[in-house]
Amino acid sequence: MFRIAFYQPCIPGNTGNAIRTSAATGTELHLIEPLGFDLSDSKLRRAGLDYHDLASVTVFPNLDAAFDAWSGARVFAFTTHAEQNYADVAYQPGDVLLFGPEPTGLPAEVLQDARITAQLRIPMIAGRRSLNLSNAASIAAYEAWRQHGFASPSP
């Protein structure tokens, strides 16, 4: 299916919410260190409710290790600075939906990495800074999944 990736996430509740989204959609959640919290954080556990055992969560020590694991996959970096709309992409199983930390987003060196397939944006009303990280990831994951008829992931 698809992969949601959080680069150096800072807020445990957002990651907990993403765990729930991953469990509900069959997407994998990839976390790239350093994390701004401990995975046993009570806020992360509370936000994830009882979905932790139903989600596939992988932690990578750095971005290079994540790219190694994603070998051959398309990686879409989400940023408010992109021109291309996320809904204009024909997503393929295995695609990585990469999001940056709160509140700064992905740094320039990540956005300009040659292994990034494209930079995408989620439209917002002018003058708004950004969406909540877990909400943005949910919007993108559901669009990718919708394009594939909300098919159940293969075992």
Side-chain angles (χ1 to χ4, degrees):
M1 196 45 89
F2 304 99
R3 301 171 195 153
I4 297 170
F6 284 178
Y7 176 79
Q8 301 180 352
C10 299
I11 300 173
N14 283 332
T15 299
N17 288 337
I19 289 170
R20 290 171 68 179
T21 297
S22 292
T25 61
T27 56
E28 297 175 6
L29 179 60
H30 293 183
L31 305 176
I32 301 158
E33 294 180 324
L35 308 181
F37 51 86
D38 186 280
L39 288 174
S40 64
D41 188 292
S42 63
K43 292 177 185 167
L44 179 132
R45 308 264 342 137
R46 185 170 41 252
L49 293 175
D50 57 351
Y51 289 88
H52 293 269
D53 294 339
L54 300 174
S56 171
V57 180
T58 304
V59 179
F60 295 101
N62 54 52
L63 189 57
D64 285 332
F67 272 116
D68 287 346
W70 303 333
S71 180
R74 300 186 311 168
V75 179
F76 295 100
F78 284 75
T79 174
T80 58
H81 306 293
E83 297 293 323
Q84 186 175 1
N85 187 315
Y86 82 104
D88 294 336
V89 172
Y91 295 98
Q92 301 170 7
D95 283 349
V96 177
L97 313 173
L98 177 62
F99 297 86
E102 320 89 330
T104 59
L106 291 166
E109 64 270 12
V110 172
L111 290 170
Q112 294 162 2
D113 190 299
R115 298 169 289 186
I116 298 291
T117 303
Q119 295 180 24
L120 305 177
R121 69 176 175 81
I122 299 171
M124 295 182 293
I125 294 172
R128 303 316 191 260
R129 190 180 55 193
S130 65
L131 288 166
N132 171 280
L133 174 62
S134 62
N135 290 345
S138 293
I139 289 168
Y142 269 89
E143 173 58 19
W145 194 32
R146 181 198 66 79
Q147 289 181 15
H148 291 269
F150 300 109
S152 293
S154 18

